[in-house]
């Protein structure tokens, strides 16, 4: 293992940046006409920062506390194998899914399929134009699922932005046939209340259940009315995906009043998001468990009956958590890591002013048995490499690194880069590797960095919002045993039982 010294500034072990050559691909239009991305599908514009913050960022670069603009740094146990820039699409890169020797990368303009049979040289197989934020993506067998969480004129891939106040507007799930990876076919769509910000698959032999997470209802939105205190459950027959339909809307936060029983937010809990739905759900089918990150609440629930999930425990952190964003189980299912997306992913929160406990991970042990299981807080984990105030940085999407007997995780932190950390001791998590770039700008706060960083078949894949797909190799005695294991498919929010699903 490479020992990393803990500091409050960036550790400057420089690496060699591998620039991949521009790749050619055929742009596939999945609808009758090409669509031009519009402001409704894009994240917030760059934000100005004070002249003092600009000066401090430049001074930090000169002193070596942070790398220069776009400069790559990483720990000695990380090798940067490849980078594939954005190509046909100019939208923001989002989530990743994997199947065999392919990686599927979401983008606000659509999605891209890579051949990763040689991880050091990924090749573009297809690019499908289908605008609609944020195009959260997953795959199961011959089906690909894509979330649309922006109000569109219709459910086609040539739709345009239309106000959510218009009853004819559409948001929800799109389904593609990917039996031919070079020519995906759009086969079905299901409209869901408040759209689909993210989604999670619960695969079965004949059907795929889709848990759709969405939030922020408004009385002015005909298709997104309060209280929106649950999730949409879609049933998709594998052999007839065109028959996909909503089969339930389980209420996860029952309660009196117009907003249900979730966290009330401000003014009761200042600085905390009001719970009006869920942001993300991770399921562990082998244990019939799910963990939900639901704005102001974290929940543990049973999915023994996938059409009727049942809440087991509900927790809040009204001191340090602003927005419960995502969740990950450890392999034994006796821990959950929840992330707090303080600032919504668009703010500079990896700094001394914010501190080590906000915009961080919260590690919870699961204690007890059956319906009496409880989530018990143990500690926070946050990268200790302070970023410039021109860099958006906060805890974001990650996955387990499957090693028996240890709890290891790789995680994206936007412009904080990629962190590999060990939470085997729930109370004392520690970083063991990292990769990051210098700020995109020292003049403005420009959104960018790693959206998702996942471990798949011996390598780390990071989808950088702006810079494209990065492939990293991790060489460390703690993580090396994971290299021997091979998955046939990986959707991180559908967490596998690694040691049953892997081939040793």
């Amino acid at each position: 293992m490479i020992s990393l010294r803990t500091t409050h500034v960036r550790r400057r072990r420089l690496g060699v940046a591998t620039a991949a050559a521009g790749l050619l691909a055929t742009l596939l239009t999945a609808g009758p006409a090409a669509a031009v991305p519009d402001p409704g599908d894009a994240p917030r514009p760059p934000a100005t920062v004070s002249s003092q913050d600009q000066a401090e960022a430049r001074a930090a670069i000169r002193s070596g506390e942070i790398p220069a603009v776009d400069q790559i740094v990483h720990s000695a146990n990380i090798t940067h194998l490849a980078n594939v820039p954005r190509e046909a699409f100019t939208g923001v890169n989002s989530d990743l899914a994997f199947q065999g020797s392919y990686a599927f990368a979401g983008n606000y303009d659509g999605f891209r399929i890579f051949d990763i049979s040689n991880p050091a040289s990924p090749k573009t197989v297809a690019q499908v134009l289908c605008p609609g934020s944020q195009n959260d993506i997953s795959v199961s067998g011959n089906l690909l699922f894509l979330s649309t969480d922006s109000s569109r004129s219709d459910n086609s891939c040539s739709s345009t932005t239309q106000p959510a106040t218009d009853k004819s507007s559409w948001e929800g799930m799109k389904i593609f046939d990917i039996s031919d990876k070079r020519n995906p076919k759009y086969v079905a769509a299901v409209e869901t209340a408040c759209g689909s910000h993210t989604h999670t698959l619960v695969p079965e032999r004949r059907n795929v259940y889709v848990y759709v997470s969405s939030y922020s209802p408004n009385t002015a939105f005909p298709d997104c009315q309060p209280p929106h205190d649950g999730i949409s459950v879609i049933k998709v027959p594998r052999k007839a995906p065109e028959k996909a339909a909503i089969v339930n809307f389980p209420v996860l936060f029952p309660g009196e009043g117009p907003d249900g029983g979730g966290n009330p937010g401000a003014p009761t809990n200042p600085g905390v998001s009001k719970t009006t739905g869920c942001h993300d759900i991770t399921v562990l089918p082998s244990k019939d468990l799910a963990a939900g990150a639901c704005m102001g609440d974290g929940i543990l629930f049973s999915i023994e009956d996938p059409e009727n999930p049942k809440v087991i425990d509900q927790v809040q952190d009204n001191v340090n958590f602003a927005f419960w964003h995502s969740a990950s189980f450890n392999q034994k299912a006796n821990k959950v890591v929840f992330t707090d997306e303080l600032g919504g992913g668009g703010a500079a929160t990896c700094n001394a002013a914010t501190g080590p406990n906000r915009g961080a991970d919260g590690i919870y042990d699961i204690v007890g048995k059956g319906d009496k299981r409880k989530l018990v807080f143990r500690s926070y984990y946050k990268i200790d490499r302070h970023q410039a105030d021109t860099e958006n940085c906060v805890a974001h999407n990650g996955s387990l690194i499957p090693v028996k007997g240890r709890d290891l995780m790789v995680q994206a932190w936007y412009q904080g880069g990629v962190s590999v950390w060990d939470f085997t001791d729930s109370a004392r998590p520690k970083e063991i590797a990292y990769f990051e770039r210098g700020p995109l700008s020292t003049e403005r706060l420009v959104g960018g960095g790693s959206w998702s960083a996942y471990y798949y078949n011996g390598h780390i894949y990071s989808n950088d919002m702006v810079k494209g797909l990065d492939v990293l190799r991790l060489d460390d005695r703690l993580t090396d045993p994971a290299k021997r294991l091979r998955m046939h498919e990986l959707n991180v929010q559908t967490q596998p039982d690694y040691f049953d699903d892997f081939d040793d």
Side-chain angles (χ1 to χ4, degrees):
M1 183 185 76
I2 306 298
S3 176
L4 301 181
R5 181 171 57 90
T6 300
T7 72
H8 291 288
V9 297
R10 291 188 184 173
R11 291 154 293 196
R12 306 205 62 232
R13 297 187 176 94
L14 302 183
V16 178
T18 304
L23 302 177
L24 297 178
T26 301
L27 178 64
L28 302 173
T29 55
V36 178
D38 54 75
D41 289 339
R44 68 194 70 180
T48 58
V49 297
S50 69
S51 57
Q52 179 179 343
D53 287 340
Q54 295 176 18
E56 288 178 355
R58 292 190 292 267
I61 289 173
R62 288 194 301 270
S63 69
E65 293 181 5
I66 67 173
V69 171
D70 286 344
Q71 181 185 13
I72 289 176
V73 298
H74 54 74
S75 55
N77 50 359
I78 290 279
T79 302
H80 188 204
L81 295 181
N83 171 262
V84 185
R86 289 182 301 186
E87 203 175 77
F89 299 150
T90 59
V92 168
N93 288 324
S94 57
D95 211 3
L96 292 167
F98 304 90
Q99 187 181 83
S101 58
Y102 296 96
F104 303 81
N107 178 285
Y108 277 52
D109 290 345
F111 65 92
R112 190 173 182 179
I113 303 177
F114 295 97
D115 180 340
I116 55 170
S117 53
N118 178 2
S121 184
K123 305 295 184 186
T124 300
V125 171
Q127 300 192 66
V128 177
L129 180 64
C130 198
S133 65
Q134 55 189 15
N135 280 338
D136 190 51
I137 194 167
S138 57
V139 294
S140 182
N142 288 330
L143 300 178
L144 179 146
F145 301 84
L146 205 64
S147 285
T148 299
D149 193 34
S150 59
S151 187
R152 312 294 299 178
S153 56
D154 55 50
N155 65 8
S156 75
C157 286
S158 58
S159 66
T160 56
T161 290
Q162 185 167 289
T165 52
D166 190 328
K167 175 62 179 172
S168 68
S169 295
W170 186 92
E171 299 180 64
M173 288 298 310
K174 298 186 177 97
I175 304 170
F176 293 77
D177 183 324
I178 53 168
S179 52
D180 179 356
K181 300 295 190 292
R182 296 184 178 278
N183 190 28
K185 301 293 186 182
Y186 184 12
V187 295
V190 179
E191 186 171 15
T192 55
C194 300
S196 174
H197 193 70
T198 66
H199 67 270
T200 304
L201 304 186
V202 185
E204 295 187 332
R205 181 170 295 179
R206 294 182 179 180
N207 305 299
V208 180
Y209 287 97
V210 186
Y211 290 168
V212 176
S213 296
S214 54
Y215 53 92
S216 294
N218 190 306
T219 55
F221 299 162
D223 298 320
C224 185
Q225 291 285 302
H228 183 72
D229 47 11
I231 58 175
S232 298
V233 179
I234 300 173
K235 183 179 181 179
V236 185
R238 289 189 184 276
K239 293 185 178 180
E242 68 278 3
K243 296 181 179 179
I246 295 172
V247 293
N248 197 10
F249 186 87
V251 173
L252 303 178
F253 302 98
E256 300 296 328
D259 301 315
N263 198 315
T268 303
N269 297 316
V272 177
S273 294
K274 177 181 178 180
T275 297
T276 59
C278 290
H279 180 276
D280 212 340
I281 292 168
T282 292
V283 297
L284 189 57
S286 64
K287 301 291 194 297
D288 288 330
L289 278 179
C294 302
M295 304 181 73
D297 294 86
I299 58 173
L300 181 70
F301 54 103
S302 166
I303 58 168
E304 187 173 2
D305 177 357
E307 289 191 19
N308 297 281
K310 173 184 164 185
V311 174
I312 297 172
D313 194 26
Q314 174 182 352
V315 292
Q316 297 177 357
D317 179 346
N318 295 317
V319 176
N320 288 314
F321 259 50
F323 187 91
W324 295 67
H325 173 274
S326 53
S328 300
F329 289 98
N330 69 334
Q331 184 58 45
K332 291 183 178 180
N334 58 10
K335 299 176 188 176
V336 181
V337 174
F338 289 102
T339 67
D340 173 24
E341 195 183 39
L342 174 68
T349 70
C350 297
N351 50 30
T354 305
N357 296 335
R358 302 180 68 236
D361 296 316
I363 304 168
Y364 286 74
D365 285 352
I366 302 174
V367 300
K369 295 182 179 180
D371 290 348
K372 295 185 177 181
R373 282 172 286 192
K374 297 291 182 182
L375 293 163
V376 179
F377 173 77
R378 294 303 186 200
S379 68
Y380 297 107
Y381 170 75
K382 188 174 182 179
I383 58 172
D384 65 350
R385 289 165 283 110
H386 285 176
Q387 312 292 303
D389 286 338
T390 59
E391 295 180 277
N392 61 310
C393 176
V394 74
H396 213 235
N397 296 342
S399 77
L400 291 187
I401 298 177
V403 174
K404 288 184 178 180
R406 300 204 73 88
D407 296 324
L408 306 171
M409 188 170 179
V410 57
Q411 187 176 3
W413 289 77
Y414 289 117
Q415 285 192 71
V418 175
S419 177
V420 180
W421 57 290
D422 184 338
F423 63 104
T424 306
D425 182 342
S426 302
R428 296 175 180 82
K430 58 184 178 181
E431 185 172 75
I432 60 174
Y434 70 92
F435 168 91
E436 65 168 295
R437 289 180 170 87
L440 289 168
S441 171
T442 58
E443 307 300 321
R444 300 176 301 163
L445 199 164
V446 182
S450 179
W451 179 291
S452 300
Y454 299 147
Y455 189 91
Y456 179 70
N457 290 354
H459 293 83
I460 294 169
Y461 295 86
S462 166
N463 210 18
D464 188 290
M465 294 167 64
V466 175
K467 298 298 183 181
L469 181 73
D470 287 306
V471 185
L472 311 176
R473 190 183 72 226
L474 174 63
D475 297 296
D476 190 286
R477 67 174 180 83
L478 284 181
T479 61
D480 283 347
K483 295 179 181 179
R484 298 194 298 268
L485 307 175
R486 287 292 180 266
M487 286 295 292
H488 305 298
E489 192 171 87
L490 179 63
N491 302 292
V492 169
Q493 286 73 34
T494 306
Q495 200 166 305
D497 186 336
Y498 284 95
F499 302 106
D500 284 342
D501 295 345
F502 269 112
D503 293 329
D504 235 324

